[in-house]
Amino acid sequence: MRRDRLIVYALVLFFASGLCACSADVVKIEQPELSTWVAQDRGHAIGQSFTPRYAGLQGVKLWSDPLSNAGGEVLFHLRNNPSDTFDLQTSAIIPASRDNSDEYTFRFSPIQGSFGADYYFELESLADDQLLFAAGPADSYPHGALYLNGTPQESQLRFSLIY
């Protein structure tokens, strides 16, 4: 009888651990407010500094104007800070390949030590047309700032972090 219980417990643990390994992404909205649009085109860099609240950062989701649909790639550069030129991670999307009508998701390899670290991402457009990204007021996100061509602004991009 005791042996049968042990086998049942072992099977339950085995299947429970398998279910935990199949968990979905955790998406945390960091800055949800929309008060303006920021233009992104070839030759103009848009960036955002931020601090992840969890370990395992593996993506950033941005909101754009659903009517802007530039051709060409948008490159994502993840760095330690705005003055760095070394990319910790990179990602690229083609604007026509959005998750839905107003979101862009940039994915990269998970960063296990991301909790509490300071990061900065910069967008580089290879598109011929202009893209518009959603932004909010400066006080809507206390852990970073929006950057235009390397200069901090009194604003924040509207973004979520994916873990």
Side-chain angles (χ1 to χ4, degrees), residues 37 61-70 93-105 131-134 158:
W37 296 97
K61 186 177 288 198
L62 299 171
W63 281 263
S64 70
D65 180 352
L67 299 177
S68 67
N69 194 15
I93 60 157
I94 297 173
S97 66
R98 302 177 200 216
D99 291 350
N100 64 37
S101 64
D102 64 353
E103 295 178 356
Y104 289 112
T105 301
L131 292 170
L132 297 176
F133 287 96
R158 182 178 181 195

Side-chain angles (χ1 to χ4, degrees), residues 100-115:
N100 64 37
S101 64
D102 64 353
E103 295 178 356
Y104 289 112
T105 301
F106 297 92
R107 293 190 173 272
F108 44 84
S109 300
I111 302 171
Q112 295 309 319
S114 61
F115 168 71

Side-chain angles (χ1 to χ4, degrees), residues 27-33 50-54 63 140-143 157-163:
V27 178
K28 295 291 185 181
I29 298 173
E30 295 295 330
Q31 197 297 97
E33 295 187 38
F50 65 99
T51 303
R53 296 183 285 164
Y54 301 96
W63 281 263
S140 61
Y141 180 70
H143 307 293
L157 280 177
R158 182 178 181 195
F159 70 102
S160 294
L161 300 179
I162 303 169
Y163 302 92

Side-chain angles (χ1 to χ4, degrees), residues 17-139:
S17 66
L19 289 175
C20 291
C22 299
S23 63
D25 290 340
V26 175
V27 178
K28 295 291 185 181
I29 298 173
E30 295 295 330
Q31 197 297 97
E33 295 187 38
L34 169 61
S35 61
T36 189
W37 296 97
V38 180
Q40 167 72 48
D41 56 21
R42 190 184 296 266
H44 292 95
I46 293 177
Q48 174 74 43
S49 56
F50 65 99
T51 303
R53 296 183 285 164
Y54 301 96
L57 179 68
Q58 63 180 350
V60 174
K61 186 177 288 198
L62 299 171
W63 281 263
S64 70
D65 180 352
L67 299 177
S68 67
N69 194 15
E73 283 186 308
V74 177
L75 305 177
F76 174 92
H77 304 275
L78 181 67
R79 300 175 178 150
N80 282 319
N81 59 60
S83 62
D84 272 1
T85 56
F86 174 75
D87 291 338
L88 299 171
Q89 300 278 347
T90 58
S91 182
I93 60 157
I94 297 173
S97 66
R98 302 177 200 216
D99 291 350
N100 64 37
S101 64
D102 64 353
E103 295 178 356
Y104 289 112
T105 301
F106 297 92
R107 293 190 173 272
F108 44 84
S109 300
I111 302 171
Q112 295 309 319
S114 61
F115 168 71
D118 291 330
Y119 293 104
Y120 169 79
F121 66 78
E122 187 171 279
L123 303 174
E124 175 187 0
S125 178
L126 303 179
D128 293 327
D129 298 324
Q130 191 175 70
L131 292 170
L132 297 176
F133 287 96
D139 62 355

